[in-house]
Amino acid sequence: MTNLPVLDLAIIAIYLLAMVGVGVYFSFKNKNSEQFTTGSGTIPGWAIGLSLYATFLSSNTFLGVPGKAFGGNWNAFVFSISMPFAAIIAAKLFVPFYRKTQEVSAYTHLEHRFGLWARTYAVCCFILTQLARMGSIFFGIALSLQALTGYDMQSIMLVVGVCIVIYTVLGGIEAVIWTEVVQAVLLTVGALSVLFIIIAKMPGGVGEIIEVGMANSKFSLGSFKPDFSTSTFWVILLYGFFINLNNFGIDQNYVQRYHTAKTEKQAAKSLWVCVAMYVPVSLLFFIIGSCLFAYYHAHPEFLDVVRNQAAAERYPNANATELASIAQNLKANEFGDKVMPHFMVKEVPTGLVGLIISAIMSAAMSTISSGMNASATVFSIDIYKRYFKPDMAEKSFTRLLYIATAIFGIGGMAVGISLIGTKSVLDVWWELSGIFAGGMLGLFLLGMLSRQTKNHSAMLATAIGVLVILWMSLSGKLTGDYAYLKSPFDSNMIIVIGTLSIFLAGIIITKIKKKFNASSTT
């Protein structure tokens, strides 16, 4: 598709202008830093919950999850199943804790607990991870919309990025949350529209989809064997629990929302609204992937273009005859991520294409705007104000928040643009950010649950945990005489074992020091 029909372009333009309009509207309410970062604690729990849900669902989810289900099964859906368990702990432990401290930054209390090093470590990990995440989402949305619209990736990033920067800078957290409420509705309607279109085009309807899916094990949640070396049900359940606990418990994107609620009860309610929306809608995306598999199982000839494109990308130096042979032998998981955009280009009618593209954009914009606001908040509070100007005037601090928000938005855009054509850089970036961010949850849990653990014990435990995470992340590259040193665990277990390593090491070191101190005094 070299260009979109005028109707679709008009729908996209109206959506973008509406998002900017929300930012302009809330700009008149932003008179101080409290309004910018927490909305003065006046936002209802249901709206916060929808914004959390929209933040969870990035454009990578909108397009990537159907591709994963198309090429495999529903194993990754176990991640969503784990979410309620993490929400229970977050609602009982983290929400009351943050509401009681009244500290907007999730990381300020780490300095009170363990010292400045812990606070700075967590903030640097968070900011690095957010830049990586924003950049990857900018890259993903541009890659997807390029296939749908024909426009170049850089132009797409600039247009979307400028709109996000404008409404996030002008409107602060209130603009972020209320635009995400709209985006949550839009992306859900967009996903449902795709599902209904696929079902309507299936010769045998829902019955044929179920029959093809059952015959090809498309609805499997993975093996239930107690095996932690592969992506079994239990591995993904543990991975999902720790990732979701990390999100709900220590991620500034979520912690900051707890302070925007009127009461602690409303803040806890927002978690359950998020869970109630995310779990069924994430299932919806897996259903879409299975439906796409059934649709193209009935019409395999429609996939020739996708197969040829995937083969050309995988083997750029192959001739036409070789590519034709390679394309026909590609497995579903080798081109699954291209199927959803292809279906939209070929099968979705005019008007609905604009709506669905807006939904994909909204999924990206909600995650990026949250990252911008949260990154600016922790940078301003935990870095600039802590190290450079602790006695900043309110007006200067508010101005700093505006500037930092814009800089992080531009930074995320720059990362996305730099990733064009260099997917390996994206993989390395995520790997490195995962290594450093993996130790944050263990440190937080140690500080909250082990009151006897002090500064040096926490520092040593964190160092041990980071070494474990480094070993698990990089040991796959070991070969020859060092192959025996490889981690026997699936890569999804990195955050699980890394978190437990820090937490348990901290407790053990504390007990050893306590015994040593007791024996030395007798």
Side-chain angles (χ1 to χ4, degrees):
M1 184 183 295
T2 55
N3 56 7
L4 286 173
V6 174
L7 177 59
D8 292 313
L9 287 172
I11 291 171
I12 296 168
I14 290 169
Y15 164 73
L16 291 173
L17 289 172
M19 295 301 98
V20 172
V22 172
V24 172
Y25 172 79
F26 283 108
S27 67
F28 296 105
K29 298 180 68 175
N30 280 323
K31 304 301 182 184
N32 53 52
S33 60
E34 184 186 9
Q35 189 71 39
F36 190 87
T37 57
T38 67
S40 297
T42 59
I43 300 175
W46 65 266
I48 300 168
L50 286 178
S51 85
L52 291 175
Y53 155 68
T55 299
F56 253 103
L57 278 179
S58 70
S59 56
N60 294 342
T61 306
F62 202 105
L63 295 163
V65 169
K68 188 177 285 289
F70 178 92
N73 54 31
W74 289 7
N75 177 234
F77 176 63
V78 180
F79 174 92
S80 302
I81 295 174
S82 72
M83 186 179 282
F85 301 105
I88 291 171
I89 294 177
K92 296 287 185 182
L93 181 65
F94 288 107
V95 171
F97 173 78
Y98 289 119
R99 293 284 301 191
K100 185 178 179 180
T101 63
Q102 290 295 305
E103 292 167 340
V104 177
S105 168
Y107 313 113
T108 304
H109 80 278
L110 283 176
E111 181 177 358
H112 306 320
R113 188 68 183 82
F114 295 128
L116 185 57
W117 71 270
R119 180 180 184 179
T120 305
Y121 165 76
V123 169
C124 290
C125 286
F126 175 76
I127 289 175
L128 266 177
T129 305
Q130 288 305 300
L131 283 171
R133 190 182 190 195
M134 286 189 289
S136 73
I137 291 171
F138 268 119
F139 176 79
I141 189 67
L143 192 65
S144 304
L145 294 186
Q146 182 188 44
L148 293 169
T149 66
Y151 296 113
D152 67 276
M153 293 175 65
Q154 188 166 327
S155 298
I156 291 170
M157 284 193 220
L158 288 172
V159 171
V160 175
V162 167
C163 291
I164 299 173
V165 168
I166 290 173
Y167 79 71
T168 307
V169 170
L170 289 178
I173 192 67
E174 280 194 279
V176 170
I177 288 175
W178 288 109
T179 54
E180 285 180 339
V181 169
V182 176
Q183 290 159 350
V185 174
L186 188 59
L187 64 89
T188 305
V189 171
L192 286 169
S193 300
V194 173
L195 177 63
F196 289 137
I197 291 169
I198 300 170
I199 293 173
K201 289 180 175 290
M202 279 298 297
V206 175
E208 185 178 356
I209 292 170
I210 294 173
E211 183 181 339
V212 172
M214 294 291 289
N216 292 274
S217 302
K218 287 295 163 185
F219 308 128
S220 170
L221 295 176
S223 170
F224 284 86
K225 292 180 180 178
D227 180 6
F228 297 96
S229 63
T230 59
S231 181
T232 62
F233 175 92
W234 305 112
V235 166
I236 301 302
L237 188 70
L238 283 170
Y239 167 78
F241 173 76
F242 278 85
I243 285 288
N244 284 315
L245 194 61
N246 183 86
N247 290 333
F248 288 145
I250 69 172
D251 190 317
Q252 180 69 22
N253 287 293
Y254 301 87
V255 172
Q256 196 167 330
R257 301 295 205 291
Y258 303 153
H259 295 290
T260 66
K262 297 177 181 178
T263 62
E264 182 182 313
K265 186 177 180 180
Q266 287 289 305
K269 177 183 177 181
S270 70
L271 283 177
W272 292 111
V273 172
C274 173
V275 171
M277 288 295 296
Y278 182 82
V279 175
V281 173
S282 65
L283 177 60
L284 172 63
F285 285 107
F286 282 95
I287 293 172
I288 288 172
S290 298
C291 288
L292 285 170
F293 182 87
Y295 176 77
Y296 286 111
H297 184 272
H299 304 286
E301 69 279 5
F302 293 173
L303 277 182
D304 289 344
V305 174
V306 177
R307 288 178 175 276
N308 291 334
Q309 183 185 356
E313 289 180 3
R314 190 176 289 265
Y315 302 97
N317 298 321
N319 59 44
T321 304
E322 291 171 334
L323 284 177
S325 175
I326 292 167
Q328 290 306 310
N329 292 313
L330 285 177
K331 296 179 181 178
N333 61 352
E334 294 178 295
F335 58 87
D337 59 341
K338 299 181 184 301
V339 173
M340 177 89 152
H342 176 72
F343 180 84
M344 289 170 60
V345 168
K346 297 296 183 181
E347 307 296 340
V348 176
T350 300
L352 263 181
V353 172
L355 174 68
I356 294 170
I357 289 177
S358 297
I360 295 170
M361 291 171 67
S362 69
M365 293 169 80
S366 61
T367 307
I368 293 169
S369 62
S370 294
M372 286 169 56
N373 188 276
S375 298
T377 299
V378 297
F379 170 79
S380 301
I381 294 173
D382 297 306
I383 300 293
Y384 195 88
K385 200 171 182 180
R386 176 62 181 82
Y387 282 98
F388 302 105
K389 283 192 176 182
D391 55 348
M392 282 185 77
E394 174 62 26
K395 190 174 181 180
S396 298
F397 184 59
T398 304
R399 189 184 305 116
L400 173 63
L401 286 167
Y402 282 115
I403 295 169
T405 302
I407 289 173
F408 278 108
I410 294 168
M413 234 189 303
V415 172
I417 291 171
S418 71
L419 293 176
I420 295 176
T422 53
K423 289 185 180 180
S424 60
V425 175
L426 178 64
D427 295 336
V428 171
W429 191 296
W430 269 110
E431 189 172 79
L432 290 176
S433 65
I435 288 170
F436 293 110
M440 291 170 63
L441 180 58
L443 183 60
F444 265 79
L445 291 174
L446 187 63
M448 296 181 73
L449 301 178
S450 178
R451 305 307 301 175
Q452 293 182 329
T453 302
K454 304 303 180 186
N455 182 10
H456 292 96
S457 298
M459 188 182 294
L460 182 56
T462 301
I464 291 170
V466 169
L467 287 174
V468 170
I469 292 167
L470 279 167
W471 165 64
M472 292 186 69
S473 301
L474 305 177
S475 68
K477 296 177 171 58
L478 296 174
T479 57
D481 295 338
Y482 300 100
Y484 71 95
L485 293 173
K486 286 184 178 181
S487 167
F489 299 101
D490 184 81
S491 60
N492 288 308
M493 290 294 292
I494 291 174
I495 189 171
V496 178
I497 295 175
T499 298
L500 293 176
S501 296
I502 292 175
F503 181 70
L504 295 176
I507 291 176
I508 292 169
I509 292 167
T510 300
K511 288 187 175 182
I512 292 172
K513 287 186 72 174
K514 190 176 179 181
K515 284 186 178 180
F516 178 79
N517 291 334
S519 62
S520 63
T521 55
T522 56

